[in-house]
Amino acid sequence: MSDRTVLHVKGRVLVGPEEVRDELWVVDGRISYDRPAGARDIRTVRGWALPGLVDAHCHVGLDRHGAVPQDVAEKQALTDRDAGTLLIRDAGSPSDTRWIDDRDDLPKIIRAGRHIARTRRYIRNYAWEIEPDDLVAYVAQEARRGDGWVKLVGDWIDRDLGDLSACWPRGAVEAAIAEAHRLGARVTAHCFSEDSLQDLVEAGIDCIEHATGLTEDLIPLFAERGVAIVPTLVNIATFPQLADGGESRFPRWSAHMRRLHERRYDTVRGAYDAGIPVFVGTDAGGGLAHGLAAAEVAELVTAGIPPVEALAAGTWTARTWLGRPGLDEGAPADLVVYDEDPRKDVGVLAAPRRVVLNGRVVG
């Protein structure tokens, strides 16, 4: 497909959950709903078209040991792309992946800078590990380094306690979140347990990752403040294995992780029912494979979220939340085409027919 080729997507174009068009055109990499005059070199793709999938919790350039070489990061990004994920919120990475922005064949990335964690309270080689007095300065640094997001580690295992516990005192997170907002960045936090959530939400945080500790008494607070969650259920599925591995040293932590896992679907459904925004994220790039956004949408459905709403959480509403366009007139043509209607069966997402990125068919 040359730069002069006009792409004609014909069939059913899902501009939104209810807004469906019969066709769109791609001219010079951008979407048009008007047939271009004089177009001769036309390639037609047929099927059900969606905006490119969104993985709102992904780590390109990271594996279980830390930063990876550029060729490995490229393979990670290509894996996501070929699975239909064309927009990624990179929720913390020690790697500099700005080079990806110069590649029109790789997904677009919204970065949260590097994780900010308490000393010896996170995975080795991942985060800046600091103490509370330095939190504001590091949040400011990462707000400037990222693309409008900062990522805190809100809780982790306390080895002396033998269980999960909050990492930061209330005053520190209040000051840090206020500084991020002053600099125009939103703040999210890794949180497995219950005890870190109230302070973070009342301090003004914008999003919570995983949110397995969300309880009935906290749900109204999240809903009132409009704090989003990204449950990463495909990652939470690994909790029993993690618990087994830590049983001998940290039995209290292991039991806690199993409880969080057992009620994961009830937690997510309770959040959705209360009106808390829920978005698709996989946590790929640590110990988890890339290309799992479709599996996460299916997990949200298993949790009890209606299929169209689960689909929206990884497409239309996710793009709006992140400030990126969907299948809008004049927008970059980032879309995925399927053989069947994914609103009726989200399992369709696992088998893209065509992937179009910046107006070019790349898969």
Side-chain angles (χ1 to χ4, degrees):
M1 188 173 165
S2 73
D3 291 337
R4 295 183 178 181
T5 301
V6 170
L7 186 65
H8 184 201
V9 179
K10 190 172 183 180
R12 308 301 283 163
V13 178
L14 301 177
V15 181
E18 303 299 332
E19 184 183 353
V20 183
R21 302 199 181 200
D22 293 329
E23 61 185 354
L24 66 74
W25 302 83
V26 178
V27 183
D28 295 329
R30 294 190 174 268
I31 291 170
S32 174
Y33 288 100
D34 296 320
R35 181 187 177 97
R40 294 183 179 180
D41 186 5
I42 298 174
R43 176 176 177 179
T44 300
V45 174
R46 300 178 186 273
W48 295 81
L50 271 178
L53 302 184
V54 178
D55 188 340
H57 187 131
C58 185
H59 304 280
V60 175
L62 183 70
D63 69 8
R64 65 176 67 249
H65 303 294
V68 300
Q70 184 170 316
D71 64 320
V72 177
E74 179 185 42
K75 289 177 183 177
Q76 293 173 341
L78 287 170
T79 298
D80 286 316
R81 183 202 74 182
D82 292 346
T85 296
L86 303 184
L87 179 62
I88 290 169
R89 185 183 59 149
D90 195 321
S93 176
S95 293
D96 180 0
T97 59
R98 290 288 175 188
W99 58 270
I100 290 177
D101 295 348
D102 297 326
R103 292 274 299 270
D104 62 7
D105 63 330
L106 295 179
K108 296 174 173 68
I109 298 183
I110 298 169
R111 297 168 185 83
R114 187 172 183 174
H115 306 76
I116 303 173
R118 193 76 179 262
T119 308
R120 299 188 69 246
R121 293 286 301 279
Y122 199 48
I123 303 167
R124 186 178 298 177
N125 300 324
Y126 275 33
W128 299 117
E129 296 191 16
I130 62 168
E131 289 302 296
D133 287 348
D134 294 322
L135 185 58
V136 170
Y138 273 82
V139 163
Q141 169 185 290
E142 296 311 294
R144 296 185 177 100
R145 179 172 178 252
D147 299 314
W149 284 92
V150 174
K151 170 74 174 294
L152 306 180
V153 177
D155 63 41
W156 196 249
I157 189 169
D158 182 324
R159 290 169 178 80
D160 294 331
L161 183 65
D163 198 1
L164 298 167
S165 70
C167 291
W168 309 103
R170 172 70 171 261
V173 293
E174 285 178 342
I177 291 170
E179 178 67 1
H181 288 170
R182 186 184 72 81
L183 294 170
R186 289 185 277 182
V187 182
T188 192
H190 161 105
C191 294
F192 285 162
S193 70
E194 300 85 352
D195 66 351
S196 62
L197 295 177
Q198 184 165 341
D199 280 353
L200 288 167
V201 173
E202 291 182 345
I205 203 161
D206 302 282
C207 181
I208 295 291
E209 310 299 313
H210 317 299
T212 42
L214 184 58
T215 53
E216 288 185 6
D217 61 314
L218 289 170
I219 282 175
L221 178 63
F222 272 67
E224 176 190 344
R225 300 294 181 94
V227 178
I229 67 170
V230 182
T232 67
L233 288 168
V234 292
N235 178 48
I236 305 311
T238 67
F239 276 19
Q241 180 182 357
L242 295 175
D244 289 346
E247 181 78 52
S248 60
R249 291 186 64 198
F250 303 113
R252 183 177 171 186
W253 172 84
S254 295
H256 195 175
M257 295 290 279
R258 291 190 183 100
R259 290 195 304 272
L260 295 172
H261 174 263
E262 287 167 2
R263 63 180 176 87
R264 68 198 186 283
Y265 292 142
D266 290 338
T267 300
V268 172
R269 180 55 192 260
Y272 169 79
D273 286 345
I276 294 171
V278 179
F279 295 106
V280 167
T282 66
D283 206 3
L288 211 62
H290 285 258
L292 296 178
E296 181 66 14
V297 174
E299 277 285 273
L300 293 182
V301 173
T302 300
I305 295 180
V308 171
E309 294 299 318
L311 182 60
T315 54
W316 310 292
T317 58
R319 285 177 169 272
T320 298
W321 178 58
L322 293 173
R324 296 297 188 270
L327 301 181
D328 305 324
E329 179 75 30
D334 297 345
L335 57 96
V336 191
V337 180
Y338 301 93
D339 287 327
E340 300 177 48
D341 187 350
R343 297 172 302 175
K344 294 183 178 179
D345 177 9
V346 298
V348 169
L349 299 178
R353 182 175 185 178
R354 290 287 183 268
V355 177
V356 178
L357 181 57
N358 292 310
R360 299 178 67 86
V361 178
V362 293

